[in-house]
Coordinates of all heavy atoms in Angstrom, one line a residue:
D29 N 3.5 127.5 -130.4 CA 4.5 127.6 -131.5 C 5.9 127.3 -131.0 O 6.7 126.7 -131.7 CB 4.4 128.9 -132.2 CG 5.2 129.0 -133.4 OD1 4.9 128.3 -134.4 OD2 6.2 129.8 -133.5
N30 N 6.2 127.9 -129.9 CA 7.6 127.7 -129.3 C 7.9 126.2 -129.0 O 9.0 125.7 -129.2 CB 7.8 128.6 -128.1 CG 7.9 130.1 -128.5 OD1 8.2 130.4 -129.6 ND2 7.6 130.9 -127.5
Y31 N 6.9 125.5 -128.4 CA 7.0 124.1 -128.1 C 7.2 123.3 -129.4 O 7.9 122.3 -129.4 CB 5.8 123.6 -127.4 CG 5.8 123.7 -125.9 CD1 4.9 124.5 -125.2 CD2 6.8 123.0 -125.1 CE1 4.9 124.6 -123.8 CE2 6.8 123.1 -123.8 CZ 5.9 123.9 -123.1 OH 5.9 124.0 -121.7
L32 N 6.6 123.7 -130.5 CA 6.8 123.0 -131.8 C 8.1 123.4 -132.5 O 8.4 122.7 -133.5 CB 5.6 123.4 -132.7 CG 4.2 122.8 -132.3 CD1 3.1 123.4 -133.0 CD2 4.2 121.3 -132.5
H33 N 8.8 124.4 -132.0 CA 10.0 124.9 -132.7 C 11.1 125.2 -131.7 O 11.5 126.3 -131.5 CB 9.7 126.1 -133.5 CG 8.7 125.9 -134.6 ND1 7.3 126.1 -134.4 CD2 8.8 125.5 -135.9 CE1 6.7 125.8 -135.5 NE2 7.5 125.4 -136.4
I34 N 11.5 124.1 -130.9 CA 12.6 124.3 -130.0 C 13.9 124.5 -130.8 O 14.2 123.7 -131.6 CB 12.7 123.1 -129.1 CG1 11.4 122.9 -128.2 CG2 13.9 123.2 -128.2 CD1 11.2 124.0 -127.2
K35 N 14.7 125.5 -130.4 CA 15.9 125.8 -131.1 C 17.1 125.2 -130.3 O 17.4 125.7 -129.2 CB 16.0 127.3 -131.4 CG 14.9 127.9 -132.2 CD 15.0 129.4 -132.4 CE 13.9 129.9 -133.2 NZ 12.6 129.7 -132.6
V36 N 17.8 124.3 -131.0 CA 19.0 123.8 -130.3 C 20.2 123.9 -131.3 O 20.3 123.2 -132.4 CB 18.9 122.3 -130.0 CG1 20.1 121.7 -129.3 CG2 17.6 122.0 -129.2
G37 N 21.1 124.9 -131.1 CA 22.1 125.2 -132.0 C 21.5 125.6 -133.4 O 20.6 126.4 -133.4
P38 N 21.9 124.9 -134.5 CA 21.3 125.2 -135.8 C 20.0 124.4 -136.0 O 19.4 124.5 -137.1 CB 22.4 124.8 -136.7 CG 23.1 123.6 -136.0 CD 23.0 124.0 -134.6
Y39 N 19.6 123.6 -135.1 CA 18.5 122.7 -135.3 C 17.2 123.2 -134.7 O 17.2 123.9 -133.7 CB 18.8 121.3 -134.7 CG 20.1 120.7 -135.0 CD1 21.1 120.6 -134.0 CD2 20.5 120.4 -136.3 CE1 22.4 120.1 -134.2 CE2 21.8 119.9 -136.5 CZ 22.7 119.8 -135.5 OH 24.0 119.3 -135.8
V40 N 16.1 122.9 -135.3 CA 14.8 123.3 -134.8 C 13.9 122.0 -134.8 O 13.8 121.3 -135.8 CB 14.1 124.4 -135.7 CG1 12.7 124.7 -135.2 CG2 15.0 125.6 -135.8
T41 N 13.3 121.7 -133.7 CA 12.6 120.5 -133.5 C 11.4 120.7 -132.5 O 11.6 121.5 -131.6 CB 13.5 119.4 -133.1 OG1 12.7 118.2 -132.9 CG2 14.1 119.7 -131.7
P42 N 10.3 119.9 -132.6 CA 9.3 119.9 -131.6 C 9.9 119.4 -130.3 O 10.8 118.5 -130.3 CB 8.2 119.0 -132.1 CG 8.4 119.1 -133.6 CD 9.9 119.2 -133.8
A43 N 9.4 119.9 -129.2 CA 9.9 119.3 -127.9 C 9.5 117.8 -127.8 O 8.3 117.5 -128.1 CB 9.3 120.1 -126.7
P44 N 10.4 116.9 -127.4 CA 10.1 115.5 -127.3 C 9.1 115.3 -126.1 O 9.0 116.1 -125.2 CB 11.4 114.8 -127.1 CG 12.5 115.9 -127.4 CD 11.8 117.2 -127.1
Y45 N 8.5 114.1 -126.1 CA 7.8 113.7 -125.0 C 8.8 113.2 -123.9 O 9.6 112.4 -124.2 CB 6.8 112.6 -125.3 CG 6.1 112.0 -124.1 CD1 4.9 112.6 -123.6 CD2 6.6 110.9 -123.4 CE1 4.2 112.1 -122.5 CE2 5.9 110.4 -122.3 CZ 4.8 111.0 -121.8 OH 4.1 110.6 -120.7
Y46 N 8.6 113.7 -122.7 CA 9.5 113.3 -121.6 C 8.8 113.4 -120.3 O 8.2 114.4 -120.0 CB 10.8 114.1 -121.6 CG 11.7 113.6 -120.4 CD1 12.4 112.4 -120.6 CD2 11.8 114.3 -119.3 CE1 13.2 112.0 -119.5 CE2 12.6 113.9 -118.2 CZ 13.3 112.7 -118.4 OH 14.1 112.3 -117.3
M47 N 8.8 112.3 -119.5 CA 8.2 112.3 -118.2 C 9.2 111.6 -117.2 O 9.7 110.6 -117.5 CB 6.9 111.5 -118.2 CG 6.2 111.5 -116.8 SD 4.5 110.8 -116.9 CE 4.9 109.1 -117.5
N48 N 9.4 112.3 -116.1 CA 10.3 111.7 -115.0 C 9.5 111.8 -113.7 O 9.5 112.8 -113.0 CB 11.6 112.5 -114.9 CG 12.6 111.9 -113.9 OD1 12.2 111.2 -113.0 ND2 13.8 112.2 -114.1
I49 N 8.8 110.7 -113.4 CA 8.0 110.7 -112.2 C 8.8 110.6 -110.9 O 8.5 111.3 -109.9 CB 7.1 109.4 -112.2 CG1 6.1 109.5 -113.4 CG2 6.3 109.3 -110.9 CD1 5.3 108.2 -113.6
L50 N 9.9 109.9 -110.9 CA 10.7 109.7 -109.7 C 11.3 111.0 -109.1 O 11.4 111.2 -107.9 CB 11.8 108.7 -109.9 CG 11.3 107.3 -110.3 CD1 12.5 106.4 -110.5 CD2 10.4 106.7 -109.1
S51 N 11.7 111.9 -110.0 CA 12.4 113.1 -109.5 C 11.5 114.3 -109.5 O 12.0 115.4 -109.2 CB 13.6 113.3 -110.5 OG 14.5 112.2 -110.4
K52 N 10.2 114.2 -109.9 CA 9.5 115.5 -110.1 C 9.3 116.3 -108.9 O 9.1 117.5 -109.0 CB 8.1 115.1 -110.7 CG 7.1 114.6 -109.8 CD 5.8 114.4 -110.5 CE 4.6 114.0 -109.6 NZ 3.4 113.9 -110.3
R53 N 9.4 115.7 -107.7 CA 9.2 116.5 -106.5 C 10.4 117.3 -106.0 O 10.3 118.2 -105.2 CB 8.7 115.6 -105.3 CG 7.4 115.0 -105.5 CD 7.0 114.1 -104.4 NE 5.7 113.5 -104.6 CZ 5.1 112.6 -103.7 NH1 5.8 112.3 -102.6 NH2 3.9 112.1 -103.9
F54 N 11.5 116.9 -106.6 CA 12.8 117.5 -106.1 C 13.5 118.3 -107.2 O 14.5 119.0 -106.8 CB 13.6 116.4 -105.5 CG 12.9 115.5 -104.6 CD1 12.5 114.2 -104.9 CD2 12.6 115.9 -103.3 CE1 11.8 113.4 -104.1 CE2 11.9 115.1 -102.4 CZ 11.5 113.9 -102.8
S55 N 13.2 118.2 -108.4 CA 14.0 118.8 -109.5 C 13.2 120.0 -110.1 O 12.0 120.2 -109.9 CB 14.2 117.8 -110.6 OG 14.9 116.6 -110.1
A56 N 14.0 120.8 -110.8 CA 13.4 121.9 -111.5 C 12.5 121.4 -112.6 O 12.7 120.3 -113.2 CB 14.5 122.8 -112.2
P57 N 11.4 122.2 -112.9 CA 10.4 121.7 -113.9 C 11.0 121.3 -115.2 O 10.5 120.3 -115.8 CB 9.5 122.9 -114.0 CG 9.5 123.6 -112.7 CD 11.0 123.4 -112.2
V58 N 12.0 121.9 -115.6 CA 12.6 121.7 -117.0 C 13.2 120.2 -117.0 O 13.2 119.7 -118.1 CB 13.7 122.7 -117.3 CG1 14.9 122.5 -116.5 CG2 14.0 122.6 -118.8
W59 N 13.6 119.7 -115.9 CA 14.2 118.3 -115.9 C 13.2 117.2 -115.6 O 13.6 116.0 -115.5 CB 15.3 118.3 -114.9 CG 16.5 119.1 -115.3 CD1 16.9 120.3 -114.7 CD2 17.4 118.9 -116.4 NE1 18.0 120.8 -115.4 CE2 18.3 119.9 -116.4 CE3 17.5 117.9 -117.4 CZ2 19.3 120.0 -117.4 CZ3 18.5 118.0 -118.3 CH2 19.4 119.0 -118.3
V60 N 11.9 117.5 -115.5 CA 10.9 116.5 -115.2 C 9.7 116.6 -116.1 O 8.6 116.1 -115.8 CB 10.4 116.6 -113.7 CG1 11.6 116.2 -112.8 CG2 9.9 118.0 -113.4
G61 N 10.0 117.1 -117.3 CA 8.9 117.1 -118.3 C 7.9 118.2 -118.1 O 6.7 118.1 -118.6
K62 N 8.2 119.3 -117.4 CA 7.3 120.3 -117.1 C 7.8 121.7 -117.5 O 7.2 122.7 -117.2 CB 7.0 120.4 -115.6 CG 6.6 119.1 -115.0 CD 5.3 118.5 -115.5 CE 4.9 117.2 -114.8 NZ 3.6 116.6 -115.3
G63 N 8.9 121.7 -118.3 CA 9.6 123.0 -118.6 C 8.9 123.8 -119.7 O 8.2 123.3 -120.5
L64 N 9.1 125.1 -119.6 CA 8.7 126.0 -120.7 C 9.7 125.9 -121.8 O 10.8 125.5 -121.7 CB 8.6 127.4 -120.2 CG 7.6 127.7 -119.1 CD1 7.8 129.0 -118.4 CD2 6.2 127.7 -119.7
P65 N 9.3 126.3 -123.1 CA 10.2 126.2 -124.2 C 11.5 126.9 -124.0 O 12.6 126.3 -124.3 CB 9.4 126.8 -125.3 CG 8.0 126.6 -124.9 CD 7.9 126.8 -123.4
G66 N 11.5 128.1 -123.5 CA 12.7 128.8 -123.2 C 13.6 128.1 -122.3 O 14.9 128.1 -122.4
E67 N 13.1 127.5 -121.2 CA 13.9 126.7 -120.2 C 14.5 125.5 -120.9 O 15.7 125.2 -120.6 CB 13.0 126.3 -119.1 CG 12.4 127.5 -118.3 CD 11.4 127.1 -117.3 OE1 10.8 126.0 -117.5 OE2 11.1 127.8 -116.3
I68 N 13.8 124.8 -121.7 CA 14.3 123.7 -122.4 C 15.5 124.1 -123.4 O 16.5 123.4 -123.4 CB 13.2 123.0 -123.3 CG1 12.1 122.4 -122.3 CG2 13.8 121.9 -124.1 CD1 10.9 121.9 -123.0
E69 N 15.3 125.2 -124.1 CA 16.3 125.7 -125.0 C 17.6 126.0 -124.3 O 18.7 125.7 -124.7 CB 15.8 126.9 -125.8 CG 14.8 126.5 -126.8 CD 14.3 127.7 -127.7 OE1 14.6 128.8 -127.3 OE2 13.6 127.4 -128.7
I70 N 17.5 126.7 -123.1 CA 18.7 127.1 -122.4 C 19.5 125.9 -122.0 O 20.7 125.9 -122.2 CB 18.2 127.9 -121.1 CG1 17.8 129.3 -121.5 CG2 19.4 128.0 -120.1 CD1 17.2 130.1 -120.4
E71 N 18.8 124.9 -121.4 CA 19.6 123.7 -121.0 C 20.1 122.9 -122.2 O 21.3 122.4 -122.1 CB 18.7 122.8 -120.1 CG 18.2 123.5 -118.8 CD 19.3 123.9 -117.9 OE1 20.4 123.3 -117.9 OE2 19.1 124.9 -117.2
A72 N 19.3 122.8 -123.2 CA 19.8 122.0 -124.4 C 21.0 122.7 -125.1 O 21.9 122.0 -125.5 CB 18.6 121.9 -125.4
N73 N 21.0 124.0 -125.1 CA 22.1 124.7 -125.8 C 23.4 124.7 -125.0 O 24.5 124.8 -125.5 CB 21.7 126.1 -126.1 CG 20.8 126.1 -127.4 OD1 21.4 125.9 -128.5 ND2 19.5 126.4 -127.3
K74 N 23.2 124.6 -123.6 CA 24.4 124.4 -122.8 C 25.1 123.1 -123.2 O 26.3 123.0 -123.4 CB 24.0 124.3 -121.3 CG 23.6 125.6 -120.7 CD 23.3 125.4 -119.3 CE 22.7 126.6 -118.6 NZ 22.3 126.4 -117.2

């Protein structure tokens, strides 16, 4: 349910599809398409 309702400011949207193969070994999960809903929301709201 949280993946289907990502909260960004006043907006609510399903998490988009995103994959970053090149950086996945070196980046935090949220930046390579592996993040949890809460992690995505934190970065998006920044």
Side-chain angles (χ1 to χ4, degrees):
D29 188 66
N30 290 339
Y31 272 118
L32 290 168
H33 300 89
I34 298 293
K35 299 177 179 63
V36 184
Y39 314 111
V40 179
T41 179
Y45 175 86
Y46 179 75
M47 179 173 63
N48 185 337
I49 297 175
L50 296 178
S51 300
K52 75 175 187 177
R53 294 182 180 177
F54 310 106
S55 301
V58 70
W59 292 110
V60 292
K62 310 294 184 181
L64 294 164
E67 296 170 339
I68 296 172
E69 288 182 350
I70 287 172
E71 299 302 330
N73 280 288
K74 288 179 184 177

